[in-house]
């Protein structure tokens, strides 16, 4: 199934590049705020938002002329996620911090409502690289690194968002990502992580001056 999805995405990217009349490149980065949709919620277990970051590049395709309202955008981003869970165990607060690194490849359809403001949506393909789990119990803290044996190597999701050009070339963006299935193949301690909610807020620059 994963190979089929990746093959379709690759064909779509090739077809997009072939048919595009205008291609523009850009870079971007910012902060992300993530939490987990816990699979088995029990009393006292929560998943507050944790702060991470992202940075990457983009390619924007126009199919008639640069001023088209409808465009496609392909991205490649490095993402750092900081998923947290909190629970009360034997009258003690246990906090588990799951940090993992991934490469995401969103393919987005963009619509420019005005020349400066656009909305977009599309699928994302996420390749997880490595993770670290930090467990805190009261004043005692223990660290351990989880290998790819337990980190799901591939996840798929969807993204919706908007960006606004504040000055020629520079833009700000906000987006919501839903990423599934759960990041780990098994449960660690108080963790029962499910699909991931991810909100990104950042700034970028598109090298071509036209919008």
């Amino acid at each position: 199934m994963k190979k089929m999805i990746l093959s379709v995405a690759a064909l779509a990217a090739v077809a997009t590049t072939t048919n595009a009349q205008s291609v523009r490149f850009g870079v971007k980065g910012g902060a992300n705020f993530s939490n987990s949709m816990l699979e088995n919620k029990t009393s006292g277990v929560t998943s507050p938002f944790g702060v991470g970051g992202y940075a990457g590049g983009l390619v924007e395709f126009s199919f008639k002329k640069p001023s088209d309202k409808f465009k496609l955008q392909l991205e490649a981003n490095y993402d750092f996620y900081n998923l947290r869970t909190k629970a009360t165990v034997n009258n003690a607060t246990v906090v588990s911090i799951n940090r993992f690194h991934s490469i995401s490849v969103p393919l987005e359809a963009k619509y420019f409502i005005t020349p400066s403001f656009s909305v977009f949506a599309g699928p994302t393909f996420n390749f997880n690289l490595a993770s670290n789990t930090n467990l805190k119990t009261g004043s005692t803290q223990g660290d351990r690194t989880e290998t790819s044996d337990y980190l799901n190597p591939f996840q798929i999701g969807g993204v919706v968002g908007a960006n606004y050009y504040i000055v020629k070339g520079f833009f700000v963006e906000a987006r919501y990502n839903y990423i599934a299935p759960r990041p780990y193949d098994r449960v660690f301690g108080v963790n029962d992580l499910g699909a991931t909610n991810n909100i990104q807020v950042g700034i970028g620059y598109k090298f071509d001056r036209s919008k």
Side-chain angles (χ1 to χ4, degrees):
M1 180 65 177
K2 180 175 75 173
K3 290 182 178 179
M4 183 180 71
I5 292 173
L6 294 178
S7 297
V8 171
L11 289 173
V14 171
T16 297
T17 305
T18 302
N19 294 318
Q21 298 299 313
S22 175
V23 179
R24 303 186 182 101
F25 298 89
V27 293
K28 61 175 190 164
N32 68 44
F33 307 89
S34 303
N35 82 332
S36 174
M37 301 174 66
L38 299 175
E39 291 188 337
N40 294 308
K41 291 185 178 180
T42 57
S43 178
V45 180
T46 61
S47 178
F49 278 90
V51 181
Y54 72 99
L58 62 90
V59 185
E60 184 186 82
F61 304 95
S62 301
F63 295 93
K64 292 182 181 179
K65 54 186 178 180
S67 59
D68 284 348
K69 287 181 175 290
F70 176 77
K71 302 181 183 185
L72 288 181
Q73 183 165 295
L74 181 65
E75 302 178 8
N77 303 312
Y78 162 76
D79 299 296
F80 171 68
Y81 297 97
N82 190 355
L83 296 179
R84 304 166 63 90
T85 56
K86 294 179 65 176
T88 300
V89 180
N90 296 326
N91 296 320
T93 299
V94 179
V95 179
S96 180
I97 304 172
N98 300 273
R99 304 180 179 95
F100 63 97
H101 310 265
S102 71
I103 300 296
S104 63
V105 183
L107 178 60
E108 303 154 354
K110 300 179 66 178
Y111 182 77
F112 281 77
I113 298 174
T114 72
S116 295
F117 179 71
S118 66
V119 293
F120 55 84
T124 63
F125 308 94
N126 304 276
F127 304 87
N128 295 325
L129 305 176
S131 77
N132 173 273
T133 297
N134 182 265
L135 189 65
K136 298 180 180 180
T137 306
S139 61
T140 302
Q141 178 174 318
D143 296 337
R144 66 179 184 269
T145 300
E146 310 302 343
T147 68
S148 58
D149 291 339
Y150 307 121
L151 183 67
N152 271 325
F154 177 76
Q155 294 175 284
I156 191 169
V159 59
V160 294
N163 62 12
Y164 180 78
Y165 287 89
I166 52 180
V167 66
K168 286 188 175 181
F170 288 96
F171 63 88
V172 291
E173 68 171 6
R175 60 178 61 198
Y176 167 75
N177 289 289
Y178 174 83
I179 305 169
R182 66 186 190 182
Y184 293 102
D185 286 330
R186 75 173 193 178
V187 174
F188 300 102
V190 299
N191 295 340
D192 199 2
L193 301 179
T196 302
N197 293 308
N198 175 248
I199 298 170
Q200 295 181 341
V201 180
I203 189 168
Y205 179 75
K206 190 173 66 175
F207 294 102
D208 191 295
R209 289 187 177 183
S210 62
K211 301 181 182 67

